[in-house]
Amino acid sequence: MTEQDSAPPQRGRAPESSPDSPELTPEERRSSVNPELLERHGLNSVQVGERQRLGLANVQPRTTSRSITEILRTHLLTLFNGIIFACALIIVLLGRWLDLLFAVAAVGNVVIGLGQEYGAKRKLDAIALLHQDHIRVLRDGMVVLIHREQIVLDDVVELRRGDQVPADGVVVSSSDLDLDESMLTGEARAVPKHRDDRLLSGTAVLAGTGRFVVTAVGPKAHAVQLAAQAKKYLKINSEIRRALERIAFWLSLALIPITAVVFNGQMQAHGGWAEAWASGEWQEGLVTAVSSVTAMIPAGLALMTTISFALAAVKLAHNHVLIQEQPAVEILARVDVVCLDKTGTLTDGTIAFHAASEMDEGGRAGPWRRAEELSSGELQPWQRILAHFGADEQANPTAAALKVPFRDVPGHHPAWRVQFSSMRRFSAVSFAETAGDLSGQWILGAPEVLREAEAVEGVDTSELLKHADAVSAQGLRTVVLAHAPNAAPPDSEETVPLRRGEQLPGPLRPVALLTFRENVRRDAASTLEYFREQDVGLRIISGDNPHTVSAVAREVGLPVQGEAVDAAQLGTDPETLRPLMAQHTVFGRVSPEQKAAMVQALQANGHVVAMTGDGINDALAVKRADLGIAMGSGAPATKAVSKLVLLDGRFARLPGVLAEGRKVIANAERLAHLFLTKTAFGVGLGLVFALMFWPFPFLPRQFSTVDFIIVGAPAFFLAMMPNPQRYRRGFLRRSALFALPPSVVVVVAVVTVSFFGRLFEDAAAQIQTASFITLALVGLWILNLVLRPLNAARIAVVTGLYLLLAAVLLLPISQQYHLFQLPEAELLAVAFVTSVLGCGAVELGHRVYTAAVDRPASL
């Protein structure tokens, strides 16, 4: 809904400059708007339009995808592209246009990469915009819903419990408005806000309602500036990207001296610099040197990894999973502990009233009565009070469930009220003496709050708490209604702390114990079973009674390791929580700051932690986790700090998320095996032939083709294939160890063929053709190793590449283009025998590699 749809123009608009008038400064613009009229009616359509024209809308930076500038820089401005461009320039200047195939392939890779990632960016940004939370703003005298980015300077924004503050501003009205500013200050406590107080974007509403006037939007907003600083100084913890950066760094250092050696070696192979220059052979030497240098560059490795990340994000988005930061795709595979909030995760978030037990004067519970029994008897004052809590527009889900069984709302207006927050764990309302038997202060909250309050004489709250624990052990949520009949008058100074929710009234008398039931998700048991099969640890962390949490955990088939821990007596120091997090799986009565501390404790124990949540009380822990996962129906503040959002709120999406992450990181490792092997034997061939002063046995067009067959073409299939392999640390080490044995075999095999070609005094074209055959056959066997375990799809890929190799060698047009010449029988036999021996050596080396890599994992 937009402001144009909401209402007809209102009378009495503030004076507004015409579109042709000079632009005003923010101070001049605000002074031109009547403050009283602004608070009552908000901006009008003309004022909104002018601010949008002046660029004063709340445009937010995109984190779901990289910017176009970042995409272009990643794909174009690389050292490897610079070397390829320089080599291509040499070939162009020499007039050897047909040897530009390597440059055409590089340009094709860049174009494909740009197209794939830009397409993914458009899809992800569109999905992210579609699922933005709506903001309530006052415009033309009516509250309308708009997207966050449609907010403009001077808008009047309405806030409710669970909302994230979308922009900086100043409060103009407050009804018990409490904010959580821990995202900015790190201090987890409710901060009351009153008229003229300043609000900062990135904070979240814990309780109450209010309105504020926007004073800073977009890049000038506090939260956006903090995010920009964080991005400027902090790097995402990505093992894949760190490995690629290290490969690029060391290879960049090595390429400069190696290139010099290769160029000198090829000139010496053609008679030395002076003779080559005099005879014109220097041109052939430059061409073979270019072929040698381009063989060393793993040009497609970063490209294919980037495409894998982008396409994984798009695939997950189509499955209703929004990746808000692309590196989160990799973290998916590394997660080994998932922390779950019970409500909205194991349960579907819906709460239904179960039963009520009225207390006698001594605080002893009476018989349990269901909703139908309560409606049939005489109406009691406490039942009308419960109707008031249930009818409150700002009621939390538990209190809102009272609306169905308790419908007789009192006609008296309360003197004051305290909205529920997870920090104080209760809500309160006070009625004046004129309300008769409803007068006094009424508290609705967790039974544990009675420990902190003074009880009336003769009431033993310890027995009540034991009774509540016994009920909670059956999987029911328990809430107590208590009354302070002799409370201070509503307008006295004594009530100020109570109205702010800073302390409980007293003495309190328990009036009724209430139970609620949550509906367990049908798919929760199978999802948890999947995680256990994948060796992913599970921790249930909830603000509910530990007995209730434990009962729900058992209902979904989760073994409870040790006893359920009551966190009410625990602190917030991650160090003291470390042993508990290692020994127990279920935690109850956990405060928001304790949830975050528990995540830190698991991280300190060496785990990669995912945290799921939907409520505002989960936001801090979701932010602290390596992978924060929010439910699509959750609080806007929680979704804003998460890296991943389950748009439809289905917990069963998580196994698919984990599988996609594992596929990306496992396929990235396979790609690294392939490309690093090619780089290693490229460097080896370049150095050996340069130091032996032998001509490099490939023309650029020939090496570009064999590179496409054994690396380029299969890389596209590798990046997309399913791969259930579990994450293991040491990505770069394993890739380097894999690449070393086969690269040595390739160098020895090609040098052997060249040696015999020179020995038999065959023509250079025949030696090049025999070398091409040898490299292609051994390279395809290396690909065979990378693809294992083989299945029908992978066998089809390998078979297709063998057929492509046959076509390249046998088709006349290909022979003419590649300047192939059939080797003599002796050299052809050497090529095939060397290839077979080379494949056998590669197989043997791979078995040694497998044994060496797997041994530490099995200890």
Side-chain angles (χ1 to χ4, degrees):
M1 183 185 296
T2 63
E3 67 276 6
Q4 288 84 359
D5 302 324
S6 61
Q10 302 290 316
R11 294 182 180 179
R13 285 177 178 166
E16 185 68 32
S17 58
S18 68
D20 299 326
S21 62
E23 294 185 2
L24 304 176
T25 66
E27 291 76 13
E28 292 171 335
R29 184 171 49 258
R30 272 192 290 273
S31 65
S32 69
V33 180
N34 186 316
E36 294 183 1
L37 189 62
L38 181 68
E39 292 179 22
R40 292 199 308 269
H41 295 281
L43 296 175
N44 58 45
S45 300
V46 175
Q47 294 169 326
V48 170
E50 183 194 19
R51 284 157 177 76
Q52 291 174 338
R53 181 177 62 82
L54 296 176
L56 299 175
N58 195 39
V59 178
Q60 302 289 309
R62 300 280 187 212
T63 58
T64 52
S65 63
R66 298 195 293 180
S67 68
I68 294 178
T69 302
E70 290 176 316
I71 293 173
L72 289 173
R73 183 170 61 245
T74 299
H75 289 277
L76 293 176
L77 303 181
T78 68
L79 174 68
F80 297 151
N81 283 347
I83 294 173
I84 290 175
F85 175 79
C87 291
L89 184 62
I90 292 174
I91 296 298
V92 169
L93 293 175
L94 293 177
R96 299 284 294 265
W97 295 94
L98 294 180
D99 280 315
L100 276 175
L101 184 59
F102 70 90
V104 173
V107 171
N109 280 342
V110 170
V111 170
I112 292 172
L114 287 172
Q116 291 273 21
E117 190 164 3
Y118 179 68
K121 171 186 171 58
R122 291 186 61 186
K123 292 177 183 176
L124 289 171
D125 287 349
I127 292 172
L129 181 62
L130 182 64
H131 289 88
Q132 272 189 358
D133 289 302
H134 286 90
I135 307 298
R136 289 173 293 274
V137 298
L138 181 65
R139 289 182 179 174
D140 287 322
M142 296 186 66
V143 176
V144 296
L145 295 176
I146 62 173
H147 283 303
R148 178 186 301 268
E149 296 194 351
Q150 293 176 300
I151 295 173
V152 298
L153 198 68
D154 301 324
D155 252 328
V156 178
V157 179
E158 185 172 281
L159 296 174
R160 299 180 184 179
R161 182 177 183 272
D163 287 349
Q164 185 189 40
V165 178
D168 296 355
V170 175
V171 177
V172 294
S173 68
S174 171
S175 176
D176 299 318
L177 183 65
D178 286 351
L179 261 61
D180 175 12
E181 297 184 343
S182 60
M183 298 296 173
L184 304 177
T185 65
E187 185 178 1
R189 66 183 183 88
V191 180
K193 292 293 181 180
H194 308 287
R195 183 180 176 86
D196 296 330
D197 283 351
R198 185 185 178 199
L199 299 185
L200 295 178
S201 56
T203 56
V205 181
L206 289 174
T209 60
R211 290 180 177 178
F212 73 96
V213 175
V214 174
T215 58
V217 293
K220 294 184 179 181
H222 189 70
V224 175
Q225 293 176 356
L226 287 180
Q229 292 174 7
K231 287 182 179 179
K232 183 176 180 181
Y233 297 110
L234 297 178
K235 287 189 175 182
I236 298 294
N237 182 24
S238 168
E239 183 180 2
I240 291 179
R241 294 189 176 180
R242 286 201 311 271
L244 294 180
E245 288 174 0
R246 292 179 65 182
I247 291 170
F249 175 77
W250 290 110
L251 191 55
S252 301
L253 291 182
L255 272 179
I256 297 175
I258 289 175
T259 300
V261 172
V262 166
F263 271 91
N264 178 69
Q266 292 307 304
M267 288 302 170
Q268 298 298 334
H270 289 82
W273 286 89
E275 184 175 336
W277 187 262
S279 64
E281 287 292 313
W282 63 272
Q283 296 186 18
E284 196 65 30
L286 273 180
V287 171
T288 54
V290 164
S291 179
S292 176
V293 170
T294 55
M296 307 175 191
I297 299 175
L301 177 55
L303 166 74
M304 294 309 304
T305 303
T306 300
I307 291 177
S308 298
F309 276 113
L311 294 186
V314 172
K315 180 179 178 180
L316 289 171
H318 285 308
N319 290 327
H320 304 285
V321 178
L322 179 63
I323 301 290
Q324 304 211 89
E325 295 181 22
Q326 276 199 18
V329 176
E330 177 190 340
I331 302 175
L332 298 176
R334 296 165 49 197
V335 166
D336 59 2
V337 172
V338 177
C339 295
L340 307 167
D341 177 49
K342 175 180 66 66
T343 305
T345 305
L346 296 181
T347 63
D348 60 12
T350 60
I351 300 174
F353 173 79
H354 178 253
S357 173
E358 187 175 1
M359 303 288 176
D360 62 18
E361 294 296 328
R364 290 177 292 274
W368 289 101
R369 292 191 290 169
R370 300 294 181 94
E372 56 273 13
E373 298 175 76
L374 290 167
S375 60
S376 61
E378 183 182 350
L379 194 64
Q380 300 295 323
W382 61 269
Q383 292 174 293
R384 299 180 64 195
I385 293 295
L386 291 178
H388 172 83
F389 279 113
D392 189 351
E393 291 184 358
Q394 302 304 313
N396 69 337
T398 303
L402 296 169
K403 189 174 184 179
V404 175
F406 303 101
R407 301 179 181 179
D408 192 356
V409 180
H412 300 278
H413 188 75
W416 53 264
R417 70 184 70 183
V418 175
Q419 299 291 345
F420 177 85
S421 82
S422 55
M423 292 184 178
R424 63 172 71 100
R425 300 175 65 82
F426 71 86
S427 55
V429 65
S430 176
F431 287 95
E433 292 182 0
T434 55
D437 52 8
L438 301 181
S439 64
Q441 296 167 4
W442 298 83
I443 305 298
L444 182 68
E448 295 77 38
V449 300
L450 296 177
R451 289 197 180 101
E452 306 168 12
E454 177 189 356
V456 297
E457 187 176 351
V459 174
D460 185 2
T461 56
S462 61
E463 289 299 320
L464 172 62
L465 292 174
K466 290 179 182 179
H467 182 57
D469 285 344
V471 174
S472 298
Q474 303 172 25
L476 297 172
R477 176 180 293 190
T478 56
V479 173
V480 68
L481 176 68
H483 184 217
N486 301 319
D491 56 351
S492 71
E493 289 297 324
E494 295 179 44
T495 63
V496 173
L498 309 181
R499 297 175 67 174
R500 292 178 179 174
E502 295 172 0
Q503 69 180 57
L504 284 164
L508 283 176
R509 183 180 73 83
V511 175
L513 187 64
L514 314 174
T515 57
F516 299 81
R517 181 177 294 280
E518 295 182 80
N519 297 316
V520 175
R521 291 183 183 271
R522 295 180 180 178
D523 51 20
S526 59
T527 302
L528 296 180
E529 179 62 27
Y530 171 84
F531 281 124
R532 289 198 297 274
E533 291 174 353
Q534 300 298 314
D535 293 332
V536 175
L538 297 168
R539 301 291 187 275
I540 311 299
I541 302 175
S542 174
D544 276 352
N545 185 293
H547 298 293
T548 305
V549 182
S550 181
V552 172
R554 290 189 176 93
E555 186 176 349
V556 296
L558 177 66
V560 179
Q561 180 179 328
E563 296 181 354
V565 177
D566 187 342
Q569 308 303 319
L570 301 178
T572 57
D573 181 13
E575 283 299 316
T576 60
L577 294 174
R578 287 180 63 179
L580 286 173
M581 298 308 296
Q583 298 165 8
H584 298 269
T585 56
V586 175
F587 301 83
R589 296 194 183 114
V590 184
S591 67
E593 56 269 26
Q594 283 178 323
K595 287 187 179 183
M598 287 177 175
V599 168
Q600 290 178 289
L602 287 168
Q603 292 169 330
N605 286 340
H607 294 292
V608 179
V609 183
M611 175 73 200
T612 67
D614 63 342
I616 182 64
N617 56 317
D618 301 318
L620 193 57
V622 167
K623 182 183 180 184
R624 292 276 172 84
D626 298 287
L627 180 64
I629 303 173
M631 299 297 171
S633 58
T638 304
K639 289 187 284 187
V641 298
S642 66
K643 294 184 177 70
L644 185 152
V645 180
L646 304 180
L647 297 176
D648 58 1
R650 288 184 57 191
F651 182 50
R653 299 285 184 192
L654 287 181
V657 170
L658 180 64
E660 190 65 24
R662 286 182 171 178
K663 185 191 84 170
V664 168
I665 197 169
N667 285 345
E669 182 168 335
R670 286 183 169 181
L671 288 171
H673 288 173
L674 203 58
F675 278 97
L676 289 185
T677 300
K678 176 245 183 179
T679 296
F681 70 64
V683 171
L685 288 172
L687 286 175
V688 169
F689 279 89
L691 295 174
M692 295 177 69
F693 299 155
W694 287 4
F696 194 67
F698 302 98
L699 295 176
R701 67 188 77 175
Q702 295 169 349
F703 196 90
S704 297
T705 299
V706 76
D707 179 40
F708 176 78
I709 293 173
I710 67 176
V711 178
F716 281 93
F717 295 101
L718 270 176
M720 312 304 166
M721 284 181 173
N723 195 330
Q725 177 182 310
R726 298 178 184 179
Y727 169 76
R728 296 181 297 168
R729 296 180 185 274
F731 167 87
L732 183 57
R733 173 180 171 272
R734 287 193 303 275
S735 297
L737 289 176
F738 177 93
L740 188 59
S743 60
V744 172
V745 172
V746 168
V747 171
V748 171
V750 173
V751 169
T752 299
V753 171
S754 292
F755 171 78
F756 279 98
R758 294 169 66 86
L759 183 66
F760 299 150
E761 297 183 351
D762 287 328
Q766 293 176 314
I767 296 176
Q768 291 167 354
T769 304
S771 299
F772 182 95
I773 294 171
T774 303
L775 178 56
L777 291 176
V778 178
L780 285 174
W781 195 261
I782 296 171
L783 174 63
N784 177 291
L785 300 179
V786 173
L787 287 173
R788 292 180 186 176
L790 296 174
N791 54 28
R794 294 171 182 175
I795 292 173
V797 170
V798 175
T799 303
L801 293 172
Y802 275 111
L803 293 175
L804 177 60
L805 173 61
V808 168
L809 290 171
L810 299 177
L811 289 178
I813 188 172
S814 174
Q815 294 174 350
Q816 184 178 359
Y817 168 74
H818 289 99
L819 301 180
F820 286 150
Q821 184 177 344
L822 184 65
E824 298 294 335
E826 295 88 349
L827 183 57
L828 193 59
V830 169
F832 280 113
V833 171
T834 303
S835 298
V836 171
L837 293 176
C839 291
V842 166
E843 182 70 33
L844 180 62
H846 180 68
R847 295 188 178 187
V848 173
Y849 158 81
T850 303
V853 169
D854 288 347
R855 187 178 299 116
S858 63
L859 292 179

